[in-house]
Amino acid sequence: MLWQQLQNQAVVLGWDFYIPVLVFIGLIALAVPVWAAIGSAAILMLIISGALPLSLVGESLFQGIDHFALTAVPLFILTGDVLVRTGLSKKFLDVAEAITTWAKSGFGSATVLVCGMFAAISGSDAAGAAAVGRMTIDRLVESGYPRPYACALVAAGACTGILIPPSIAYIIIGLVLGINVSVLFLAAVIPGLAILGAILLTNSIINRRHAYESGGLLSWGEWGTNLLKSLKSGWYAFIVPGIIFYGIFSGRLTPTEAGAVAVVVTIAIGFILGTLKFSDFPAMLVSSAKVNGVILPIIAFSLPLAQALAILGVPQGFVYSVTSLTDDPRILILMMVLILIAAGCVMETTPNIVILAPILFPLAQNIEMNEIQFAVMMITALGVGFITPPLGLNLFVVSGITGESILKIAARAVPFVFFMLIVTLLIAYFPAISTSLLPEIYR
């Protein structure tokens, strides 16, 4: 057990660790791109410590992105972009709205559901917040919701982008920790749906309390008729998530292959419907390349950084320091969750994963937490951070597309944070939530 190996040895960190960390924080504060900040910190750490020859940095950078599974990242990003341009995302909204017309919080619930549907294809929360926000926020306001609350609802629903598989975040943490990505996707199904349910429940409670929306006036017969009508007119939109889920969870397709098939099928549907033209391709490819160009350099620089941290004994030192304060697993789990939520509040998912996963994972091993459960807990906690006031990324996305004050949106997001935090803690303390669907070998 890791603690038994470390109980008599405290790792003393010197300036070869603290100076690069201060440089990293300073560069982030100056709005330097995250990949450049990580790269600068990693190289500086290697220079000061002499942990690795600089001649190996170039090789490490290529090794960091030389993984077949990483090909899935640009494919899912492109699929989400094509989804919006072909108008299939509007079909999702029509079906979601038909499903929830019986409820008093009908269109608010539909907004959350379409966020989940979009998440099941794109794997990105910021993209979901922007796409769904443009479609729904004005209609939410027309339905009676205050604009700040409508923005908070979309921001919360879009958190499912990294929580419901397929998820770019799970692909990355799988590579960082050496865990099978398909297994992580399967483990994330129940936790992702639980977060979606928590957001729906929160909106329903708030809507009943303030009477923002008065739906639920249809009879069950009328509801069924509307649902069948919407499914008939938009059934083809569900071909894409169907292929992704069936292909991955049946074992017939790897996540990368599923992403490739999803791109081809989405493009084909766009051409058949006449909503996509060859002239749209340059803009789509450029848009997807920009997003991918933010993610991959971060992953590339993560390997030399992780190697330097390991050689300096940072993960071991962190475990020793934390377990010197308490050896109660319940308290240690709570500490990890709070660290992850705070990190998710101020920085994007990818750098948080590549920096924090190698540091926190030994602590999880020390308390004998299942590696799958740890990965799901980490991604879920980071997802909560996306709407944690005052710096959650999704808050800035919806503020950017609506012009609404971030502080007003953040204030309305607090109830969603509370209920999502409850689910996160349940995932952290009850392994069965994230492992019950897995084969016995992974539990």
Side-chain angles (χ1 to χ4, degrees):
M1 191 166 147
L2 186 58
W3 168 245
Q4 294 174 339
Q5 300 172 7
L6 296 173
Q7 58 184 358
N8 295 320
Q9 49 178 306
V11 178
V12 179
L13 299 176
W15 289 110
D16 53 356
F17 170 75
Y18 291 112
I19 290 178
V21 169
L22 292 174
V23 169
F24 172 77
I25 295 173
L27 292 175
I28 292 296
L30 293 173
V32 173
V34 175
W35 67 268
I38 291 177
S40 300
I43 293 174
L44 186 59
M45 192 175 294
L46 293 175
I47 291 174
I48 298 176
S49 66
L52 287 174
L54 286 180
S55 58
L56 297 179
V57 172
E59 181 180 347
S60 295
L61 293 179
F62 282 102
Q63 287 179 349
I65 58 176
D66 186 22
H67 293 278
F68 176 70
L70 271 182
T71 311
V73 174
L75 291 173
F76 284 124
I77 292 172
L78 180 58
T79 301
D81 200 6
V82 178
L83 187 75
V84 174
R85 292 178 183 272
T86 55
L88 294 182
S89 54
K90 294 182 179 178
K91 294 297 181 181
F92 287 138
L93 180 59
D94 292 340
V95 173
E97 188 174 4
I99 292 174
T100 59
T101 49
W102 62 272
K104 289 186 177 181
S105 57
F107 192 68
S109 298
T111 299
V112 178
L113 281 182
V114 79
C115 285
M117 294 175 183
F118 197 91
I121 296 179
S122 71
S124 170
D125 58 333
V132 177
R134 290 190 179 98
M135 289 191 300
T136 62
I137 288 177
D138 287 339
R139 286 191 57 187
L140 285 168
V141 174
E142 292 173 3
S143 299
Y145 292 95
R147 183 170 289 273
Y149 178 81
C151 293
L153 179 63
V154 172
C159 289
T160 58
I162 66 168
L163 305 180
I164 295 178
S167 164
I168 294 172
Y170 279 112
I171 295 173
I172 296 171
I173 197 171
L175 293 175
V176 171
L177 298 181
I179 303 174
N180 185 288
V181 176
S182 296
V183 173
L184 287 176
F185 281 177
L186 184 59
V189 171
I190 293 177
L193 293 178
I195 289 289
L196 185 71
I199 299 169
L200 287 169
L201 177 62
T202 306
N203 178 62
S204 179
I205 293 173
I206 293 175
N207 187 74
R208 285 182 176 273
R209 181 177 178 182
H210 297 283
Y212 290 147
E213 184 179 0
S214 56
L217 301 178
L218 297 179
S219 66
W220 287 108
E222 291 173 322
W223 173 79
T225 301
N226 285 345
L227 178 58
L228 289 175
K229 183 178 179 180
S230 63
L231 288 172
K232 184 177 180 180
S233 63
W235 62 270
Y236 48 82
F238 292 88
I239 294 176
V240 180
I243 289 175
I244 293 174
F245 275 83
Y246 175 75
I248 293 175
F249 296 143
S250 68
R252 297 179 182 274
L253 298 174
T254 65
T256 301
E257 292 167 343
V261 174
V263 170
V264 173
V265 172
T266 309
I267 290 174
I269 293 175
F271 278 125
I272 292 172
L273 297 177
T275 56
L276 189 66
K277 302 177 182 178
F278 283 108
S279 59
D280 295 325
F281 275 71
M284 285 193 307
L285 294 175
V286 169
S287 175
S288 299
K290 286 180 178 178
V291 177
N292 195 55
V294 173
I295 297 174
L296 289 186
I298 295 174
I299 300 173
F301 279 106
S302 69
L303 184 58
L305 178 63
Q307 291 172 335
L309 291 174
I311 292 174
L312 294 178
V314 174
Q316 295 89 339
F318 177 78
V319 173
Y320 181 88
S321 299
V322 172
T323 51
S324 295
L325 299 175
T326 178
D327 58 359
D328 188 335
R330 293 169 297 182
I331 297 177
L332 294 174
I333 288 173
L334 181 60
M335 290 174 61
M336 285 192 288
V337 169
L338 294 178
I339 290 172
L340 291 168
I341 291 177
C345 174
V346 298
M347 198 159 53
E348 295 178 359
T349 307
T350 302
N352 277 325
I353 292 172
V354 300
I355 294 173
L356 293 178
I359 295 176
L360 295 179
F361 186 52
L363 180 59
Q365 290 179 308
N366 178 59
I367 59 176
E368 299 182 351
M369 175 182 281
N370 182 288
E371 63 178 7
I372 304 294
Q373 181 193 8
F374 169 78
V376 173
M377 177 196 73
M378 180 171 190
I379 301 303
T380 306
L382 290 175
V384 177
F386 276 104
I387 59 165
T388 303
L391 298 174
L393 178 61
N394 284 4
L395 303 178
F396 283 88
V397 173
V398 294
S399 174
I401 64 175
T402 63
E404 192 63 46
S405 166
I406 291 177
L407 292 179
K408 290 182 179 179
I409 300 173
R412 296 302 187 108
V414 172
F416 296 106
V417 173
F418 176 76
F419 279 90
M420 292 170 68
L421 179 59
I422 291 176
V423 176
T424 303
L425 292 174
L426 290 174
I427 293 169
Y429 288 108
F430 298 96
I433 297 176
S434 51
T435 61
S436 59
L437 296 181
L438 301 181
E440 188 66 32
I441 190 175
Y442 293 107
R443 298 182 185 179

